[in-house]
Amino acid sequence: NTEIPVLLHENNILRETSELERKRNGLPGLLLPRFIDESIGAKHILSGIDGTGVTSYNMNLFIQRHATLPNLFNSLLTSPSPTRRIELSTKLLALLKVINSDLQLFSSGPYLCGDQFTLADIYIFAVIERIVVVLSTYRNFWIPPSLTHLIHWYEVMCERPAIRVATADRTEESMRTYCYEKESRNEYLLEVYECYALHEEE
């Protein structure tokens, strides 16, 4: 078992990764001691009244748990080896299943920390978008329909006003400034990553 349950308080789950697993994946030191050190003297430690400390802890934990997502995307897209791509696809799918499970931990909302939208969600959104658009086209990799919590999370994220602005079709200024030709968001992403997928980046 690579995870050690530490605290359960009013549906807030605090866990640590074992020392062996942290060393194997190059993760930083234990979160819980740092969380306690930073929170000593706070009036509402794990009280559930404002939840700020617990949310911060969970947010950092999720970021650590999902830290390999960008590298898996990049490696799968750029690897010239079909055998290696099969291996990477398996690892990426396993991580997406972890994220799907993490999204079920809190019933209060659709985000990783329940109803709190945090950096943990922002951290993985851009990669998930590229998995949906880029890997499905160039590597025939799709998020399975069985990962319902991840799919729902992605749909909710796409409806956030700031996300809608960030993922909108390109503006006239963007068209004038950058060398890419495609205007629609999805076609633009495909154009940007085409050289990497076809190994023509030089």
Side-chain angles (χ1 to χ4, degrees):
N1 186 14
T2 61
E3 293 180 359
I4 305 170
V6 180
L7 293 174
L8 174 62
H9 178 76
E10 297 183 359
N11 293 323
N12 293 302
I13 302 171
L14 304 184
R15 297 165 298 176
E16 286 289 9
T17 304
S18 69
E19 182 177 1
L20 176 64
E21 190 69 12
R22 284 189 293 108
K23 289 181 178 179
R24 181 182 301 148
N25 292 289
L27 297 176
L30 293 175
L31 281 169
L32 188 63
R34 185 168 76 244
F35 167 72
I36 294 174
D37 288 343
E38 293 173 353
S39 301
I40 290 296
K43 185 176 181 180
H44 302 301
I45 298 176
L46 301 180
S47 67
I49 296 176
D50 60 32
T52 302
V54 172
T55 297
S56 177
Y57 175 89
N58 288 328
M59 177 189 74
N60 283 286
L61 178 62
F62 287 134
I63 290 174
Q64 286 193 14
R65 284 167 62 83
H66 309 152
T68 59
L69 186 63
N71 185 59
L72 282 172
F73 162 79
N74 182 68
S75 298
L76 178 54
L77 180 67
T78 59
S79 175
S81 167
T83 302
R84 176 63 173 156
R85 290 202 295 262
I86 291 174
E87 177 185 343
L88 290 165
S89 295
T90 301
K91 290 183 177 180
L92 178 56
L93 178 59
L95 181 54
L96 293 178
K97 289 180 178 179
V98 169
I99 296 173
N100 187 71
S101 296
D102 287 344
L103 285 163
Q104 301 177 56
L105 293 176
F106 301 100
S107 60
S108 57
Y111 305 113
L112 284 164
C113 293
D115 60 355
Q116 297 295 311
F117 174 65
T118 70
L119 285 174
D121 301 289
I122 296 171
Y123 177 77
I124 64 173
F125 175 80
V127 186
I128 297 297
E129 181 195 19
R130 283 154 179 77
I131 291 172
V132 170
V133 177
V134 177
L135 289 188
S136 63
T137 298
Y138 291 124
R139 293 294 177 260
N140 199 31
F141 183 95
W142 304 80
I143 296 177
S146 59
L147 302 186
T148 55
H149 293 272
L150 177 57
I151 292 172
H152 176 63
W153 169 88
Y154 183 71
E155 292 172 347
V156 171
M157 289 287 290
C158 286
E159 291 303 313
R160 291 188 64 88
I163 297 290
R164 293 179 69 177
V165 171
T167 59
D169 292 344
R170 297 173 67 194
T171 63
E172 291 184 5
E173 182 179 3
S174 174
M175 296 293 290
R176 290 194 305 267
T177 304
Y178 300 103
C179 61
Y180 300 104
E181 298 178 355
K182 302 299 184 181
E183 182 177 359
S184 77
R185 172 68 175 181
N186 288 358
E187 291 180 350
Y188 166 67
L189 288 176
L190 293 176
E191 184 181 8
V192 169
Y193 286 98
E194 181 179 19
C195 64
Y196 300 101
L198 302 180
H199 317 296
E200 299 173 348
E201 53 266 46
E202 295 183 1

